[in-house]
Amino acid sequence: LGSTLGGSCRNLASHIGMALRCSPFRARSAAECCVLSCMLLLAARGARVWAGAARLSGDCPSDSSEGPEYDDPSFWDAHYLREPEPFDWLQDYDSLRGLIANATRGNLAARVLHIGCGNSLLPELMYDDGYRDIVNIDTSAVVIEQMAARNQQRPGMVWLVRDATHTNFGRAEFDVVIDKSMLDTFECMANSSRVIIGYIREIARVLKPGGAYMSINFDDPSGVERILTRLLMPAEYFTSRLADAVNSEMPPNYVFVLRTKPWSAYGQ
């Protein structure tokens, strides 16, 4: 891992493909290899060191004409057409059950927004465990269509094509916001700091006072902790380091839960 920045992009992609059951990526484009190499950087290096490192190393094409970019929905559309079977990056529901119960305060009627849902099994397992008000969003129309079809027997679960930084939901609409590896994803984009700030602002906008934001990532959240606490002004902040529930060979993941202040804290 120490030679990540100077290594071959395709070799890195192959390594991650074997580790995360994504071997089809080994023969794909340079841009897709860049994504996977960036994911390896997230797992291997400390906060902020790896931000944009793949681009700076020259392995990642900066010109969008060279191939699909990580923030381009067509990139993910192509991925989910090739890989339609559900797959969970990082933690699975069993490992997160207790943390989710804490975030929702045990309220099965809590309105939950799952951002960057992909084809994770998390929302359907939550649904089967009693959480019935779950809204899932992703920029990939392909995966939203796939997952909506897969979950037709779960009435009330919603699947929408939305941008995580501009969701178009109403203010204070959700009790809990959950994402898995969204901050990791944004760190791999151009203008990552601006995108992350816009994303956290959007979470602050749609989250009810007293609501919780729960995020699971490869990287220690200390790199964005200042942004999180400034924009969300949490009444509670909890961080935990968990073993990777999907692949034991990968480094631990980090889970953090922030609970915003209730209206009463502002004298309302």
Side-chain angles (χ1 to χ4, degrees):
L1 297 180
S3 62
T4 294
L5 291 179
S8 164
C9 183
R10 288 193 179 277
N11 286 340
L12 290 172
S14 178
H15 179 88
I16 299 175
M18 290 184 287
L20 296 181
R21 196 169 62 82
C22 294
S23 57
F25 279 99
R26 285 180 289 178
R28 304 299 175 183
S29 70
E32 293 182 9
C33 288
C34 167
V35 171
L36 293 177
S37 66
C38 193
M39 293 302 288
L40 182 56
L41 287 171
L42 301 183
R45 304 187 68 86
R48 317 311 295 178
V49 172
W50 43 257
R55 293 179 184 276
L56 295 176
S57 70
D59 284 338
C60 186
S62 58
D63 184 349
S64 61
S65 66
E66 296 183 40
E69 291 289 340
Y70 208 19
D71 55 352
D72 184 350
S74 65
F75 171 92
W76 295 108
D77 285 346
H79 167 66
Y80 290 119
L81 285 172
R82 288 192 309 271
E83 298 287 322
E85 291 303 313
F87 178 72
D88 270 295
W89 292 82
L90 312 185
Q91 304 296 317
D92 57 19
Y93 180 57
D94 285 342
S95 65
L96 297 173
R97 187 192 307 265
L99 291 168
I100 292 174
N102 178 64
T104 61
R105 289 177 167 159
N107 178 18
L108 295 178
R111 185 161 174 78
V112 177
L113 175 61
H114 181 207
I115 298 179
C117 61
N119 54 14
S120 168
L121 293 174
L122 179 69
E124 59 189 66
L125 292 175
M126 286 180 61
Y127 186 98
D128 293 346
D129 214 19
Y131 298 97
R132 299 302 169 88
D133 193 357
I134 304 174
V135 178
N136 303 278
I137 66 171
D138 200 286
T139 57
S140 170
V142 169
V143 79
I144 289 296
E145 182 178 354
Q146 290 172 343
M147 295 304 285
R150 175 184 169 86
N151 288 278
Q152 287 181 359
Q153 77 281 14
R154 294 181 174 89
M157 186 179 287
V158 178
W159 302 88
L160 299 170
V161 179
R162 297 285 173 90
D163 181 338
T165 62
H166 299 90
T167 64
N168 293 321
F169 293 117
R171 185 177 298 275
E173 190 169 334
F174 294 93
D175 298 292
V176 177
V177 174
I178 299 176
D179 73 47
K180 292 173 64 178
S181 212
M182 283 304 300
L183 292 176
D184 289 337
T185 301
F186 292 143
E187 284 284 4
C188 288
M189 294 181 180
N191 303 313
S192 60
S193 295
R194 177 181 58 79
V195 174
I196 289 173
I197 289 173
Y199 177 57
I200 300 303
R201 282 177 174 164
E202 183 67 356
I203 290 173
R205 189 185 69 81
V206 302
L207 200 58
K208 294 179 181 179
Y213 169 45
M214 177 177 173
S215 184
I216 305 95
N217 297 278
F218 276 119
D219 195 52
D220 186 320
S222 61
V224 292
E225 188 170 320
R226 185 177 178 183
I227 296 174
L228 291 166
T229 54
R230 187 175 77 242
L231 296 180
L232 289 176
M233 297 181 294
E236 302 172 26
Y237 182 64
F238 167 80
T239 302
S240 181
R241 189 168 180 261
L242 302 177
D244 192 311
V246 177
N247 192 302
S248 60
E249 297 179 2
M250 293 297 289
N253 309 148
Y254 291 85
V255 180
F256 66 83
V257 180
L258 294 87
R259 186 174 301 283
T260 60
K261 294 178 181 178
W263 283 123
S264 58
Y266 301 95
Q268 299 188 30

